[in-house]
Amino acid sequence: IALLGLLAFNVQQTFLPIVSRDPSMVITEEFHRDLSRVHAYLLANSRAEDALIASRIYSRYVDWVDEPVFRAEYLFDIFTTHAELLAFMEQHPSGWIVIDKVRLDSAAFPVADTLAKDDRISFIGEFDDELVWHWSVK
């Protein structure tokens, strides 16, 4: 019976969820975003006085891991307006904007183009499907 159990044990499928970097898990067929790169960047570069504007994906991740700690958070969704972003940014002298490509493409206004025109905002980069900007009052 033990030999049959060992022969039936599927090592590859058992360890696949641990070692796979593929966002579409073959076992569950669910899409799992890898936020480790963007999170590591923000852990290394954010300060306690920074605020965060983020789409639901990264915002929930920050809440789940309970770090980094931001002074304030604003949940960005596809209905967020440019005026709402500006109002939040005016309340906080520095912060981060983290938006995934899906929400960026579906947003009510051209987010990337609009942010590029604001001299307070610097585009940091793309971390998998998360785009990151930093703003600070100069």
Side-chain angles (χ1 to χ4, degrees):
I1 293 177
L3 180 61
L4 284 174
L6 285 174
L7 290 173
F9 184 72
N10 189 333
V11 176
Q12 180 182 8
Q13 289 297 315
T14 301
F15 293 106
L16 184 63
I18 298 170
V19 297
S20 175
R21 303 309 299 164
D22 184 6
S24 297
M25 290 299 295
V26 294
I27 297 170
T28 63
E29 297 182 2
E30 292 182 12
F31 186 81
H32 299 273
R33 287 181 169 81
D34 182 6
L35 299 172
S36 60
R37 289 181 58 228
V38 69
H39 192 65
Y41 182 84
L42 286 174
L43 279 174
N45 294 287
S46 65
R47 302 173 311 189
E49 60 268 12
D50 288 342
L52 175 68
I53 297 171
S55 58
R56 185 172 309 278
I57 293 164
Y58 188 67
S59 178
R60 284 188 173 172
Y61 186 78
V62 167
D63 292 342
W64 179 60
V65 297
D66 206 24
E67 64 179 357
V69 176
F70 293 100
R71 174 182 297 264
E73 292 183 31
Y74 183 87
L75 183 62
F76 179 92
D77 63 30
I78 62 171
F79 303 109
T80 300
T81 66
H82 183 232
E84 291 169 333
L85 284 187
L86 288 178
F88 183 80
M89 289 170 57
E90 302 228 352
Q91 295 173 0
H92 307 283
S94 66
W96 300 90
I97 302 170
V98 181
I99 303 174
D100 61 280
K101 289 181 185 176
V102 172
R103 280 163 188 77
L104 193 69
D105 294 340
S106 303
F109 67 99
V111 179
D113 294 339
T114 304
L115 296 179
K117 294 175 185 174
D118 193 326
D119 63 349
R120 299 172 297 173
I121 302 171
S122 302
F123 180 67
I124 301 301
E126 189 173 319
F127 299 81
D128 299 313
D129 75 336
E130 302 290 322
L131 282 83
V132 178
W133 293 267
H134 180 261
W135 85 82
S136 62
V137 176
K138 296 178 182 177

mmCIF file of all heavy atoms in Angstrom, residues 13 23 26-27 53 59 72 78-79 95-96 98 103 115 122 131-132 137:
data_model
loop_
_atom_site.group_PDB
_atom_site.id
_atom_site.type_symbol
_atom_site.label_atom_id
_atom_site.label_comp_id
_atom_site.label_asym_id
_atom_site.label_seq_id
_atom_site.Cartn_x
_atom_site.Cartn_y
_atom_site.Cartn_z
ATOM 1 N N GLN A 13 2.951 18.370 -9.466
ATOM 2 C CA GLN A 13 1.733 19.120 -9.154
ATOM 3 C C GLN A 13 1.684 19.562 -7.696
ATOM 4 O O GLN A 13 1.080 20.569 -7.370
ATOM 5 C CB GLN A 13 0.493 18.282 -9.478
ATOM 6 C CG GLN A 13 0.249 18.109 -10.951
ATOM 7 C CD GLN A 13 -0.015 19.432 -11.650
ATOM 8 O OE1 GLN A 13 -0.773 20.257 -11.172
ATOM 9 N NE2 GLN A 13 0.620 19.641 -12.787
ATOM 10 N N PRO A 23 1.290 33.608 -13.782
ATOM 11 C CA PRO A 23 0.130 34.180 -13.084
ATOM 12 C C PRO A 23 -1.151 33.370 -13.265
ATOM 13 O O PRO A 23 -2.059 33.473 -12.455
ATOM 14 C CB PRO A 23 -0.015 35.568 -13.699
ATOM 15 C CG PRO A 23 0.691 35.499 -14.991
ATOM 16 C CD PRO A 23 1.766 34.476 -14.849
ATOM 17 N N VAL A 26 -2.160 26.608 -13.206
ATOM 18 C CA VAL A 26 -2.697 25.494 -13.980
ATOM 19 C C VAL A 26 -3.643 24.626 -13.167
ATOM 20 O O VAL A 26 -4.484 23.932 -13.721
ATOM 21 C CB VAL A 26 -1.556 24.625 -14.562
ATOM 22 C CG1 VAL A 26 -0.760 25.410 -15.568
ATOM 23 C CG2 VAL A 26 -0.651 24.091 -13.460
ATOM 24 N N ILE A 27 -3.521 24.659 -11.871
ATOM 25 C CA ILE A 27 -4.385 23.824 -11.028
ATOM 26 C C ILE A 27 -5.757 24.461 -10.862
ATOM 27 O O ILE A 27 -6.785 23.829 -11.079
ATOM 28 C CB ILE A 27 -3.728 23.574 -9.656
ATOM 29 C CG1 ILE A 27 -2.431 22.788 -9.855
ATOM 30 C CG2 ILE A 27 -4.668 22.839 -8.725
ATOM 31 C CD1 ILE A 27 -1.587 22.676 -8.633
ATOM 32 N N ILE A 53 -2.093 56.363 -3.740
ATOM 33 C CA ILE A 53 -3.239 56.251 -4.638
ATOM 34 C C ILE A 53 -3.029 54.931 -5.361
ATOM 35 O O ILE A 53 -2.008 54.757 -6.036
ATOM 36 C CB ILE A 53 -3.293 57.412 -5.652
ATOM 37 C CG1 ILE A 53 -3.479 58.747 -4.944
ATOM 38 C CG2 ILE A 53 -4.401 57.171 -6.678
ATOM 39 C CD1 ILE A 53 -3.316 59.955 -5.856
ATOM 40 N N SER A 59 -3.792 48.080 -3.446
ATOM 41 C CA SER A 59 -4.317 48.623 -2.195
ATOM 42 C C SER A 59 -4.690 47.496 -1.224
ATOM 43 O O SER A 59 -4.354 47.546 -0.034
ATOM 44 C CB SER A 59 -5.539 49.495 -2.482
ATOM 45 O OG SER A 59 -6.089 49.978 -1.292
ATOM 46 N N ALA A 72 -2.049 58.180 4.205
ATOM 47 C CA ALA A 72 -3.437 58.099 3.740
ATOM 48 C C ALA A 72 -3.461 57.275 2.465
ATOM 49 O O ALA A 72 -2.450 57.157 1.768
ATOM 50 C CB ALA A 72 -3.986 59.497 3.473
ATOM 51 N N ILE A 78 -12.041 52.863 -12.043
ATOM 52 C CA ILE A 78 -12.168 53.371 -13.416
ATOM 53 C C ILE A 78 -13.019 54.638 -13.488
ATOM 54 O O ILE A 78 -12.976 55.341 -14.497
ATOM 55 C CB ILE A 78 -12.714 52.298 -14.376
ATOM 56 C CG1 ILE A 78 -14.106 51.844 -13.967
ATOM 57 C CG2 ILE A 78 -11.756 51.123 -14.458
ATOM 58 C CD1 ILE A 78 -14.789 50.943 -14.991
ATOM 59 N N PHE A 79 -13.768 54.944 -12.447
ATOM 60 C CA PHE A 79 -14.610 56.144 -12.438
ATOM 61 C C PHE A 79 -13.934 57.336 -11.761
ATOM 62 O O PHE A 79 -14.497 58.427 -11.710
ATOM 63 C CB PHE A 79 -15.945 55.844 -11.762
ATOM 64 C CG PHE A 79 -16.680 54.709 -12.410
ATOM 65 C CD1 PHE A 79 -16.810 53.484 -11.767
ATOM 66 C CD2 PHE A 79 -17.206 54.842 -13.690
ATOM 67 C CE1 PHE A 79 -17.474 52.437 -12.378
ATOM 68 C CE2 PHE A 79 -17.868 53.792 -14.300
ATOM 69 C CZ PHE A 79 -17.995 52.585 -13.648
ATOM 70 N N GLY A 95 3.735 61.220 -2.331
ATOM 71 C CA GLY A 95 3.079 59.923 -2.333
ATOM 72 C C GLY A 95 3.342 59.138 -3.596
ATOM 73 O O GLY A 95 4.128 59.536 -4.455
ATOM 74 N N TRP A 96 2.645 58.037 -3.691
ATOM 75 C CA TRP A 96 2.821 57.066 -4.767
ATOM 76 C C TRP A 96 1.490 56.794 -5.443
ATOM 77 O O TRP A 96 0.448 56.791 -4.799
ATOM 78 C CB TRP A 96 3.382 55.772 -4.192
ATOM 79 C CG TRP A 96 4.704 55.987 -3.543
ATOM 80 C CD1 TRP A 96 4.924 56.315 -2.225
ATOM 81 C CD2 TRP A 96 5.969 55.944 -4.164
ATOM 82 N NE1 TRP A 96 6.270 56.467 -2.007
ATOM 83 C CE2 TRP A 96 6.938 56.235 -3.184
ATOM 84 C CE3 TRP A 96 6.396 55.683 -5.463
ATOM 85 C CZ2 TRP A 96 8.291 56.274 -3.461
ATOM 86 C CZ3 TRP A 96 7.753 55.709 -5.733
ATOM 87 C CH2 TRP A 96 8.690 56.002 -4.731
ATOM 88 N N VAL A 98 -0.076 53.767 -7.815
ATOM 89 C CA VAL A 98 0.139 52.410 -8.325
ATOM 90 C C VAL A 98 -1.167 51.943 -8.958
ATOM 91 O O VAL A 98 -2.171 51.747 -8.266
ATOM 92 C CB VAL A 98 0.551 51.434 -7.200
ATOM 93 C CG1 VAL A 98 0.799 50.045 -7.760
ATOM 94 C CG2 VAL A 98 1.766 51.948 -6.456
ATOM 95 N N ARG A 103 -7.066 48.687 -15.176
ATOM 96 C CA ARG A 103 -7.771 49.894 -14.734
ATOM 97 C C ARG A 103 -7.243 51.137 -15.437
ATOM 98 O O ARG A 103 -7.983 52.063 -15.715
ATOM 99 C CB ARG A 103 -7.695 50.039 -13.227
ATOM 100 C CG ARG A 103 -8.724 49.133 -12.562
ATOM 101 C CD ARG A 103 -8.451 48.916 -11.111
ATOM 102 N NE ARG A 103 -9.317 47.907 -10.551
ATOM 103 C CZ ARG A 103 -9.155 46.604 -10.726
ATOM 104 N NH1 ARG A 103 -8.189 46.144 -11.461
ATOM 105 N NH2 ARG A 103 -9.970 45.739 -10.175
ATOM 106 N N LEU A 115 -0.880 62.342 -16.130
ATOM 107 C CA LEU A 115 0.164 62.372 -15.110
ATOM 108 C C LEU A 115 1.496 62.840 -15.692
ATOM 109 O O LEU A 115 2.270 63.516 -15.009
ATOM 110 C CB LEU A 115 0.321 60.988 -14.465
ATOM 111 C CG LEU A 115 -0.891 60.463 -13.695
ATOM 112 C CD1 LEU A 115 -0.608 59.077 -13.142
ATOM 113 C CD2 LEU A 115 -1.315 61.408 -12.588
ATOM 114 N N SER A 122 6.509 62.004 -11.199
ATOM 115 C CA SER A 122 7.551 61.309 -11.962
ATOM 116 C C SER A 122 7.123 59.870 -12.197
ATOM 117 O O SER A 122 6.696 59.191 -11.253
ATOM 118 C CB SER A 122 8.864 61.287 -11.188
ATOM 119 O OG SER A 122 9.293 62.573 -10.886
ATOM 120 N N LEU A 131 1.823 49.906 -12.841
ATOM 121 C CA LEU A 131 2.595 51.088 -13.200
ATOM 122 C C LEU A 131 2.699 51.994 -11.981
ATOM 123 O O LEU A 131 1.717 52.146 -11.231
ATOM 124 C CB LEU A 131 1.941 51.835 -14.359
ATOM 125 C CG LEU A 131 2.200 51.167 -15.711
ATOM 126 C CD1 LEU A 131 1.228 50.044 -15.951
ATOM 127 C CD2 LEU A 131 2.106 52.169 -16.817
ATOM 128 N N VAL A 132 3.870 52.583 -11.774
ATOM 129 C CA VAL A 132 4.135 53.339 -10.552
ATOM 130 C C VAL A 132 4.626 54.749 -10.891
ATOM 131 O O VAL A 132 5.499 54.924 -11.736
ATOM 132 C CB VAL A 132 5.196 52.621 -9.678
ATOM 133 C CG1 VAL A 132 5.517 53.428 -8.440
ATOM 134 C CG2 VAL A 132 4.737 51.222 -9.324
ATOM 135 N N VAL A 137 5.701 67.692 -3.822
ATOM 136 C CA VAL A 137 5.600 69.126 -4.010
ATOM 137 C C VAL A 137 7.021 69.664 -4.021
ATOM 138 O O VAL A 137 7.793 69.410 -3.093
ATOM 139 C CB VAL A 137 4.774 69.787 -2.877
ATOM 140 C CG1 VAL A 137 4.757 71.286 -3.044
ATOM 141 C CG2 VAL A 137 3.377 69.207 -2.862
#
